Amino acid sequence: MNILDELKWRGAINQETDHEGLNKLVDQKSVGIYVGIDPTGDSMHIGHLIPFMILKRFQLAGHHPVIVIGGGTGAIGDPSGKKSERVLQTMDQVKHNQKALTGQMEKLFGQDGKFEIVNNYDWLSKLSLLEFLRDYGKLFNVNTMLNKEIVASRLEVGISYTEFTYQILQSIDFLHLYRHHDVQVQLGGADQWGNITSGTDLIHKVEGADAKVYGLTIPLLLKADGTKFGKSEGGNVWLDPEKTTPYEFYQFWINQDDRDVIRYLKYFTFLNQSQIAELAKKVETQPEKREAQRRLAEEVTEFVHGKQAVEQAEHISAALFSGDVSELTTAEIEQGFKNMPTVEVSAAPLDIVQWLVDATKIEPSRRQAREDIKNGAIRINGQKVQDVDFVIDPAAKFDGKFVIARRGKKHYYLARVK
């Protein structure tokens, strides 16, 4: 099974410019293949991750991945998926985002095999307006460009000349990479098909019709309910641990629907067919154990954040499930309680009734607080407290930074010490 056969089995091929030609090529040699990303933000989210997972598969199959950070195109703006013009970023913003994205790519691709990261600003910025128009603009037919879905979808509301020319710039990228980095394949999402075919057309016009270049897209990934994959209730799920903690990242994957989990295992993990088939059986016969979801969460979290992050996420999950948070570290509290109800409290010791009512408003009244304490409904830092005279000392646990309170079985509160 070559890489294209594997991608087909994983349901990861949408369109190909020439299946037979590309299939023959990947069997003959190590192929240069690229994916581009514009630095419109300082982190990828999991929607961005999809084509780079496919690129990683090419790397593991012995091919040569090239990642294009769009320092040039990012300053212009891709019209794809937008109903209006993008707000242009400052060059300082673009440079900051380039640096952050480069770090993420190095983490994903620097573990095995060779790869390259290049910046299209390096060649696009050297083009003069006259060169752009004479050497490239002359080769693009406006009627053809208007019919590309990426442009056609914007014609009703309007599109600027700046964004209209984006497909020419991306085509120049492909030509440059073909000439200087031995790249023969461009990979992208389904919405990039028009840009990709513009690139293969340009290369054939400039280098000759027999130039061996190919385009490959992956399908739009939808959830079983028909909505677009990639977001949680809180918004995007980011690869940056400062935006989405590894624990939140892990939880996103472990909470996937039974109807989706096997597709996601095929897309986002490097498990083989027999391993995934075994997990598919578990979904059918023992769905309550959620073994497929757990394996999915482990594999993707380890790929993005490392094995230690998986162990930490599992430790936090187990502690929250059991209610025993006493063994969590301060860093794990930061992750696991990021979205819990939070209050600020003084560092001074205070008796538990006052603390629950006056300091934190966890309890509505002293009478209710005393009743809940005596009934064993209150836990402080994982320990059940039934003594109404108990004194809470914020310095006693979690480096003096937090107090964790639980009321009943599910209601957690994070008290941050001022």
Side-chain angles (χ1 to χ4, degrees):
M1 178 186 293
N2 68 18
I3 181 66
L4 294 183
D5 294 329
E6 183 185 352
L7 292 180
K8 185 176 180 181
W9 171 76
R10 291 182 183 273
I13 294 179
N14 183 44
Q15 294 163 296
E16 299 170 85
T17 55
D18 176 4
H19 173 77
E20 293 303 321
L22 181 55
N23 194 57
K24 185 176 180 181
L25 186 70
V26 297
D27 280 339
Q28 289 177 338
K29 58 175 283 191
S30 174
V31 175
I33 176 170
Y34 97 92
V35 175
I37 182 168
D38 283 343
T40 52
D42 60 3
S43 175
M44 290 195 295
H45 55 69
I46 56 173
H48 295 133
L49 186 60
I50 300 171
F52 291 99
M53 291 294 297
I54 306 303
L55 191 64
K56 183 70 178 181
R57 295 187 197 285
F58 273 91
Q59 182 186 36
L60 295 175
H63 301 286
H64 183 63
V66 177
I67 298 145
V68 176
I69 304 290
T73 46
I76 298 302
D78 181 355
S80 175
K82 296 290 178 181
K83 294 181 180 179
S84 60
E85 292 286 314
R86 290 182 185 269
V87 176
L88 294 180
Q89 299 184 99
T90 66
M91 289 311 295
D92 284 343
Q93 286 176 312
V94 172
K95 288 176 182 177
H96 167 76
N97 295 343
Q98 285 172 198
K99 185 176 180 182
L101 292 177
T102 298
Q104 290 185 345
M105 295 302 176
E106 287 173 343
K107 190 172 181 181
L108 296 179
F109 287 89
Q111 298 162 16
D112 40 41
K114 294 173 63 178
F115 74 106
E116 289 181 80
I117 299 178
V118 295
N119 187 337
N120 65 14
Y121 182 84
D122 293 342
W123 56 86
L124 293 179
S125 62
K126 294 175 183 176
L127 274 177
S128 71
L129 176 60
L130 290 178
E131 286 174 319
F132 174 76
L133 294 173
R134 283 180 59 88
D135 297 342
Y136 302 107
K138 196 72 174 173
L139 300 175
F140 285 80
N141 183 289
V142 170
N143 292 340
T144 303
M145 293 175 71
L146 288 170
N147 286 327
K148 299 285 185 181
E149 184 180 351
I150 201 169
V151 172
S153 62
R154 285 280 299 280
L155 290 180
E156 189 173 326
V157 295
I159 183 171
S160 69
Y161 179 73
T162 298
E163 290 195 6
F164 180 63
T165 60
Y166 187 95
Q167 61 182 283
I168 301 179
L169 297 179
Q170 188 168 320
S171 300
I172 294 170
D173 286 348
F174 199 172
L175 175 61
H176 177 89
L177 295 170
Y178 174 78
R179 285 173 167 174
H180 301 285
H181 296 268
D182 196 25
V183 168
Q184 294 175 279
V185 184
Q186 183 181 357
L187 169 68
D191 62 339
Q192 291 297 310
W193 179 247
N195 289 337
I196 291 172
T197 54
S198 290
T200 57
D201 290 345
L202 175 64
I203 294 171
H204 287 143
K205 288 174 182 177
V206 174
E207 300 292 325
D210 59 346
K212 290 181 168 51
V213 288
Y214 307 91
L216 180 66
T217 66
I218 54 182
L220 176 66
L221 189 56
L222 298 175
K223 296 190 288 188
D225 62 9
T227 60
K228 191 175 179 180
F229 166 83
K231 292 191 177 183
S232 67
E233 290 181 5
N236 285 323
V237 179
W238 301 97
L239 271 59
D240 182 344
E242 297 298 319
K243 295 177 182 287
T244 299
T245 68
Y247 168 73
E248 292 174 303
F249 191 84
Y250 179 92
Q251 286 296 314
F252 171 82
W253 296 103
I254 208 167
N255 288 322
Q256 293 305 314
D257 193 303
D258 286 346
R259 297 171 295 172
D260 293 319
V261 65
I262 299 304
R263 283 194 304 129
Y264 295 169
L265 283 166
K266 289 180 177 181
Y267 256 85
F268 294 101
T269 77
F270 301 99
L271 300 179
N272 60 36
Q273 289 195 31
S274 61
Q275 290 171 310
I276 292 176
E278 186 176 339
L279 289 166
K281 287 181 182 177
K282 297 284 181 65
V283 173
E284 292 178 5
T285 59
Q286 298 174 308
E288 71 283 356
K289 291 188 175 181
R290 298 185 70 77
E291 287 188 38
Q293 283 88 344
R294 187 171 293 106
R295 189 65 185 275
L296 174 67
E298 290 171 357
E299 293 289 325
V300 187
T301 305
E302 182 173 349
F303 177 63
V304 173
H305 294 296
K307 191 164 185 63
Q308 185 177 356
V310 176
E311 293 170 353
Q312 203 170 46
E314 290 176 339
H315 188 212
I316 296 169
S317 299
L320 291 176
F321 181 77
S322 68
D324 183 13
V325 299
S326 61
E327 297 304 313
L328 293 177
T329 66
T330 304
E332 288 170 339
I333 292 295
E334 285 274 16
Q335 285 195 53
F337 287 79
K338 180 180 175 184
N339 295 314
M340 299 286 185
T342 303
V343 295
E344 285 193 345
V345 296
S346 166
L350 196 65
D351 78 71
I352 188 170
V353 175
Q354 280 184 286
W355 194 87
L356 289 171
V357 179
D358 300 329
T360 64
K361 304 291 192 295
I362 291 172
E363 291 283 11
S365 68
R366 283 172 167 71
R367 183 192 63 78
Q368 186 65 55
R370 291 190 185 96
E371 184 178 319
D372 284 346
I373 292 166
K374 289 176 180 178
N375 290 337
I378 300 296
R379 287 178 179 265
I380 301 297
N381 294 335
Q383 304 301 314
K384 185 184 291 186
V385 177
Q386 292 183 277
D387 178 3
V388 294
D389 295 321
F390 179 81
V391 174
I392 292 178
D393 181 4
K397 192 73 177 169
F398 306 127
D399 300 319
K401 293 183 177 181
F402 307 112
V403 178
I404 304 299
R406 193 179 92 181
R407 181 173 181 244
K409 291 185 177 181
K410 296 182 178 179
H411 301 290
Y412 281 98
Y413 302 87
L414 173 67
R416 289 184 178 271
V417 181
K418 292 185 281 189

